[in-house]
Structure formats: C-alpha cells, structure tokens
C-alpha cells in the first residue's frame, strides 16, 4: 500500500531526526570505534548465517541467497531508538554506540548491495571504484553536512526570526526545513534518507537557536510530540 509505505518512511525520518537532536556529536565521536566494531559484526554474522542456511542447507540459488542475506543485514534503527527513548536511555553510552553502529550499518548494507547486485543481475559485474566512491560519499555527506549545516542554520535563523513572531513556531519550522533539505540531498546522493535526517538532527543539536529570543521551549521538546505520533 503506497500510503502506508509513505507514512512509514516519514515516521522513520522523524524518529531518526529526533535521535540526532538528542545525540551529542562529541559522545558519538568517542564511541565511533566501538560502534564500528558492532556494525561490522552486525553485518558479517547475519549475512554469513543467512547465506549459509539458504545456499548450503535449503539449496537455494546463490543469487537469491546473496540478496536475501543482504536484506537481513539491515537494522531497524528507528525501532531501536524508540525503545531507548521510551526508557529514557537515549543518552546512555550503549545507546550512543548503537546509534553509531546503526549509521555505519546502513552504509555497509548499501555498499554490500552495490557489490552483490551487479553479480546477481546483468549489470556488468562488480566495480571496486564504485564501492570506494560510495564510502567516500557517505563519510563526506556526514562530515560536510554537519559543517555546512551549522553555517546554514545560523543564517536561516535570522530570516525565520523576522518571518515569525512566535519563537517556537519559527524554531520548529526551521528544524523541519533543515531535515527536509538533508533528506532530499541524501536521497539524491543515493544514501538512505534516515542518514540525512539523523545528520540534520546532529546539526541542529549544536545550533542552539540563539536568535529565537521568544522561543520558550527546547527544540527537542517541540519535535517530541510529532515523534510520538
């Protein structure tokens, strides 16, 4: 059902956007290597188990086994974040490690698909250059997204404070404008939309809406009711 599919995509984007707002970039950086190890194991183990079962035990074709194993590499990070938030543990070290692992996991899953898809279709085979470019693109998107996003948010905040008398309304609209831009750019770049929304949340977490003098509520509190829906 295209309507339900659209709503689930919006829901995942909003939940990961809120997770970015609640996350501290410094703490995520401190847990990068732990998250990387979790992500690598979280990709290798399910891929190996699913492929081995389908190909060697169920006698499924190698192409179907490869693609099925790739599908089960993906993590349900939106559900994970929702559970942590429900138990007020979203800022714990374990939550930060899992968030880092989830972002890396999504990148690894897309890279793995980039390797597998040409091997299982008639697209001309695997290209190492394409894989390297995808890795560089994902890393570059997050790094430059945070750097450029901070500068853009400061400039846009000046405009929004002049357009809206309500500081809360202006801050909320600015935050979702930034989220929309990041999701659109990530999608155009061939990355997962949730990587874009999570990065947007990280950007706004460090942009304290200093010019919104009439804003009486933190941006996380403004977004939370939408996240709950």
């Amino acid at each position: 059902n295209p309507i339900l599919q659209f709503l689930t995509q919006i829901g995942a984007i909003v939940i990961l956007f809120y997770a970015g707002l609640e996350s501290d970039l410094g703490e995520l950086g401190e847990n990068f290597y732990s998250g990387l190890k979790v992500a690598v194991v979280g990709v290798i183990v399910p891929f190996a188990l699913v492929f081995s079962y389908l190909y060697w035990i169920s006698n499924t074709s190698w192409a179907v086994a490869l693609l099925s194993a790739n599908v089960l590499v993906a993590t349900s990070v939106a559900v994970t974040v929702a559970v942590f938030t429900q138990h007020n543990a979203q800022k714990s070290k374990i939550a930060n490690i899992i968030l880092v692992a989830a972002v890396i996991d999504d990148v690894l899953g897309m890279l793995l698909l980039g390797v597998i898809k040409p091997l299982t279709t008639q697209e001309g085979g695997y290209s190492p250059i394409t894989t390297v470019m995808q890795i560089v693109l994902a890393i570059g998107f997050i790094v430059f997204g945070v750097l450029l996003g901070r500068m853009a948010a400061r400039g846009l905040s000046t405009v929004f404070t002049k357009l809206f008398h309500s500081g809360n309304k202006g801050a909320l609209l600015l935050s979702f404008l930034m989220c929309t831009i990041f999701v659109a750019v990530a999608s155009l770049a061939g990355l997962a939309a949730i990587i874009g929304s999570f990065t947007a949340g990280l950007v706004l977490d460090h942009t304290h809406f200093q010019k919104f003098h009439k804003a009486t509520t933190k941006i996380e509190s403004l977004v939370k009711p939408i996240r709950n829906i």
Side-chain angles (χ1 to χ4, degrees):
N1 187 308
I3 296 177
L4 292 178
Q5 183 179 11
F6 172 75
L7 291 175
T8 56
Q9 290 172 345
I10 294 296
I13 287 171
V14 172
I15 289 177
L16 266 296
F17 177 55
Y18 183 81
L21 290 173
E22 286 282 298
S23 301
D24 183 89
L25 196 59
E27 293 179 0
L28 291 178
E30 292 176 1
N31 296 304
F32 175 78
Y33 291 107
S34 298
L36 178 62
K37 288 185 285 186
V38 172
V40 170
V41 173
V43 168
I44 294 176
V45 172
F47 185 88
L49 289 176
V50 174
F51 178 80
S52 299
Y53 174 79
L54 291 177
Y55 186 69
W56 298 105
I57 299 178
S58 298
N59 295 320
T60 307
S61 68
W62 66 274
V64 172
L66 282 174
L67 290 171
S68 299
N70 194 179
V71 168
L72 293 184
V73 161
T75 56
S76 183
V77 60
V79 175
T80 305
V81 171
V83 172
F84 275 118
T85 303
Q86 182 181 357
H87 294 281
N88 295 319
Q90 65 270 27
K91 293 185 178 181
S92 64
K93 182 177 181 180
I94 294 177
N96 285 326
I97 291 175
I98 291 179
L99 280 174
V100 172
V103 174
I104 298 175
D105 183 275
D106 282 332
V107 174
L108 292 177
M110 288 184 292
L111 294 177
L112 193 59
L113 180 61
V115 174
I116 292 174
K117 189 176 180 182
L119 297 177
T120 56
T121 60
Q122 304 296 323
E123 295 187 4
Y126 165 62
S127 172
I129 298 178
T130 301
T131 301
V132 173
M133 290 301 296
Q134 286 180 316
I135 295 174
V136 173
L137 182 63
I139 296 174
F141 178 86
I142 296 175
V143 173
F144 287 101
V146 171
L147 294 176
L148 297 176
R150 290 184 188 178
M151 293 187 290
R154 293 191 189 100
L156 287 172
S157 64
T158 302
V159 177
F160 274 69
T161 51
K162 295 179 179 179
L163 290 175
F164 300 98
H165 297 291
S166 169
N168 287 340
K169 181 187 292 185
L172 185 62
L173 290 175
L174 173 60
S175 66
F176 274 97
L177 173 63
M178 292 294 292
C179 180
T180 302
I181 292 173
F182 272 80
V183 168
V185 174
S187 299
L188 290 174
L191 299 172
I194 59 174
I195 293 180
S197 62
F198 181 72
T199 305
L202 290 178
V203 168
L204 295 175
D205 179 54
H206 291 273
T207 302
H208 302 292
F209 299 92
Q210 297 172 352
K211 297 180 181 179
F212 290 93
H213 300 298
K214 296 181 180 179
T216 58
T217 310
K218 289 184 177 180
I219 189 64
E220 293 93 332
S221 299
L222 294 174
V223 176
K224 188 174 182 179
I226 303 173
R227 193 269 340 248
N228 291 341
I229 295 174

